[in-house]
Amino acid sequence: MRKYFSLLCIAASVFMAGNVNAQNPIVRNQYSADPSARVFGDKVYVFPSHDILATPGKGRVGWFCMEDYHVFSSSDLTDWTDHGMIVSQTTTPWTKPDAYNMWAPDCIEKNGKYYFYFPASPKDSSYGRGFAIGVAIADKPEGPYTPQPTPIKGVHGIDPNVFIDKKDGQAYLYWAQGNIYAARLKPNMVELDSDVKTLAELPTKGLKEGPYMFERNGIYYLTYPHVENKTERLEYAMGNNPFGPFKIAGAIMDESASGCWTNHHSIIQFKNQWYLFYHDKDYSPNFDKARSIRADSLSFNPDSTISKVIPTLRGIGITAATKEIQIDRYSKIADKGISISFIDTTNKFLGWKTSFAQQGAWIQYNTVDFGIKPLKSVIVKAVSTEGGILQIRVNSIDGPVIAEVKISKTNDWKINTAGITKQQTGIKHLFIVSKDGKPVDVDWVKFQ
Ligand code: FUB
């Protein structure tokens, strides 16, 4: 029966798999949090938590509610594929099937097998109270994953993170439960191989959780969210080996301006660039337990410390000019006469619109690839009750106007097209400017 059910789940996952767009947030078809990004082969895989909204009888209303995990992948950091559900509370042998406590996970590859670590509430009190941490194993990053029959013995807590030291191939498990703990893993990756070590050099006041370890140039970076003030910010400490001792080094990302209480992250290097994956509450401004994952570039200072990451909406990756360019995920925006809001507040996953309301109001969207063949026209999906004119410029706000788009007078979203007067190739920064100040709402812009 269990086998039949697993097959059904796999079939449902494949059916539900789909492509989602780039920019921040990365995942656009569901809530997502606690992103564990990994480079496997020539792709980046992200293993996030999957927030859903609790309703009476399903989870605890007003709190985190998570029943399963999805995995996403991208080869260009722009187009992300949702591979569907990989592990669920109802199909894991040891988890309480109605606890909705499948919190922040992680995944790692060893000898061609993929080990997915996840915290959840056990159904059997012999595994201890609170959270235990289990493992599911697959032959491919996107699954199918087979959960182990029992959680890892000797581990109680949340937010597992696994690190394999390239120096000697030793795997370490980190997790949180008030403090941050670490232990060696056996070669089978599912049992501890040492005593549990408390990483005591970290801040003693204010919650810390979500450990994420990585190594660069022989320095071991233990990174973690910590409540130094009122909400979590991402901090780090540096050491000479995976068990420390560690020296507190500062903040990677400040507290969210949105007030999202949690943050949770991972750091990877992909094609010579480092990236920080983290979360905020983009699709749920009023409830910070329904979060969305994001990514921005990260860099190091000459002394090996981390340069603070300022969160952006534009995020990472290059946007093809021929795709729908969501200009509301801007790189920069004029101080006045322009604003961003949800297209439909009753269905926020429809995304955002940019409202132009003043002559000269502008928005900048960086790194658009016009390709090698000149494109002929630009399409703007817009609505304007008075009609208006938008200029499309490249390079800078004073850069050449490559098209002027007359937005027709209408009460409904409409496609407006104009010819390109100055052909473009290669990667350009895009500027959309209101020529006449008439109110115009824009959903997206694309070239063809
Ligand atoms: O997603 C639930 C919990 O919120 C995670 O386990 C923590 O790290 C925090 O992000």
Side-chain angles (χ1 to χ4, degrees):
M1 186 63 186
R2 177 177 290 282
K3 193 174 166 198
Y4 176 66
F5 188 72
S6 297
L7 282 173
L8 263 182
C9 288
I10 291 163
S13 301
V14 170
F15 177 71
M16 288 183 61
N19 282 312
V20 285
N21 287 325
Q23 302 109 41
N24 284 330
I26 292 169
V27 172
R28 302 247 168 154
N29 62 352
Q30 59 195 264
Y31 297 120
S32 56
D34 309 324
S36 261
R38 293 287 175 193
V39 179
F40 293 142
D42 56 2
K43 284 188 185 175
V44 173
Y45 286 82
V46 182
F47 299 83
S49 305
H50 181 196
D51 289 342
I52 55 174
L53 298 178
T55 48
K58 181 181 168 181
R60 178 175 146 201
V61 175
W63 188 238
F64 298 109
C65 184
M66 292 114 117
E67 62 186 352
D68 61 16
Y69 300 98
H70 285 225
V71 57
F72 300 81
S73 75
S74 174
S75 49
D76 59 7
L77 303 177
T78 295
D79 294 318
W80 291 89
T81 300
D82 175 2
H83 297 282
M85 193 264 281
I86 53 168
V87 169
S88 134
Q89 64 180 3
T90 54
T91 53
T92 301
W94 59 269
T95 54
K96 200 162 171 274
D98 56 355
Y100 297 92
N101 274 339
M102 303 204 95
W103 285 19
D106 194 11
C107 187
I108 203 142
E109 184 269 340
K110 192 182 171 201
N111 297 336
K113 293 242 180 259
Y114 296 84
Y115 296 85
F116 179 75
Y117 296 79
F118 58 98
S121 304
K123 58 182 168 202
D124 183 338
S125 59
S126 68
Y127 297 129
R129 286 165 61 87
F131 282 83
I133 290 175
V135 191
I137 305 174
D139 293 324
K140 288 187 292 179
E142 55 268 40
Y145 282 87
T146 306
Q148 292 294 288
T150 56
I152 305 175
K153 213 171 152 201
V155 179
H156 302 284
I158 58 168
D159 297 352
N161 163 242
V162 185
F163 169 75
I164 299 180
D165 196 351
K166 68 175 191 282
K167 200 172 63 187
D168 54 11
Q170 176 64 54
Y172 295 81
L173 178 69
Y174 299 83
W175 68 96
Q177 179 74 65
N179 281 309
I180 291 181
Y181 302 95
R184 286 195 186 89
L185 280 170
K186 285 189 180 166
N188 66 14
M189 300 296 277
V190 298
E191 286 174 282
L192 298 192
D193 201 16
S194 72
D195 289 341
V196 174
K197 182 171 166 50
T198 305
L199 303 181
E201 310 85 38
L202 307 183
T204 48
K205 277 196 193 144
L207 180 80
K208 51 193 177 302
E209 52 183 1
Y212 182 85
M213 164 64 72
F214 71 96
E215 179 270 343
R216 176 182 178 267
N217 296 339
I219 298 173
Y220 295 79
Y221 294 81
L222 177 64
T223 66
Y224 49 91
H226 170 232
V227 184
E228 170 69 22
N229 301 302
K230 286 190 174 154
T231 59
E232 288 182 343
R233 69 179 191 194
L234 302 179
E235 300 180 7
Y236 71 112
M238 296 156 84
N240 292 329
N241 84 70
F243 273 155
F246 295 100
K247 192 161 179 272
I248 294 174
I252 303 169
M253 176 175 273
D254 284 334
E255 293 89 346
S256 165
S258 77
C260 187
W261 200 92
T262 62
N263 200 352
H264 186 120
H265 67 298
S266 54
I267 293 171
I268 57 163
Q269 187 184 26
F270 182 60
K271 297 186 178 164
N272 295 323
Q273 173 63 51
W274 288 85
Y275 297 99
L276 172 74
F277 287 74
Y278 61 101
H279 71 223
D280 208 306
K281 54 175 177 126
D282 299 86
Y283 285 121
S284 175
N286 301 321
F287 180 56
D288 67 359
K289 312 288 181 290
R291 300 155 295 177
S292 291
I293 62 169
R294 293 162 153 239
D296 275 301
S297 297
L298 174 143
S299 60
F300 292 85
N301 300 311
D303 65 356
S304 296
T305 56
I306 299 174
S307 212
K308 206 183 261 182
V309 178
I310 308 296
T312 75
L313 294 176
R314 173 62 186 84
I316 57 176
I318 294 167
T319 304
T322 50
K323 292 218 168 133
E324 291 172 9
I325 305 167
Q326 306 291 341
I327 58 167
D328 48 78
R329 307 294 86 194
Y330 58 84
S331 305
K332 286 188 185 155
I333 192 166
D335 288 342
K336 49 188 182 172
I338 190 161
S339 59
I340 309 294
S341 56
F342 285 110
I343 286 176
D344 179 351
T345 49
T346 63
N347 181 6
K348 300 196 175 70
F349 290 110
L350 289 177
W352 294 265
K353 61 185 178 189
T354 305
S355 302
F356 293 82
Q358 189 175 310
Q359 191 175 29
W362 57 270
I363 198 158
Q364 175 179 350
Y365 184 101
N366 285 355
T367 339
V368 175
D369 188 1
F370 282 83
I372 47 173
K373 278 204 214 138
L375 298 163
K376 293 204 173 79
S377 53
V378 58
I379 305 171
V380 179
K381 186 178 174 195
V383 58
S384 174
T385 50
E386 293 181 31
I389 301 173
L390 296 179
Q391 287 182 332
I392 315 288
R393 294 174 180 257
V394 289
N395 300 338
S396 71
I397 183 67
D398 304 318
V401 176
I402 64 165
E404 259 189 19
V405 191
K406 195 166 177 314
I407 307 297
S408 50
K409 199 169 157 178
T410 159
N411 288 320
D412 295 318
W413 290 100
K414 198 164 179 287
I415 298 298
N416 302 268
T417 308
I420 297 180
T421 48
K422 284 196 174 60
Q423 305 296 346
Q424 303 298 314
T425 54
I427 290 174
K428 298 281 155 65
H429 294 345
L430 200 64
F431 294 78
I432 319 293
V433 188
S434 166
K435 186 173 179 188
D436 57 5
K438 296 274 180 64
V440 174
D441 288 352
V442 174
D443 185 357
W444 49 255
V445 173
K446 95 175 180 186
F447 297 82
Q448 61 182 10

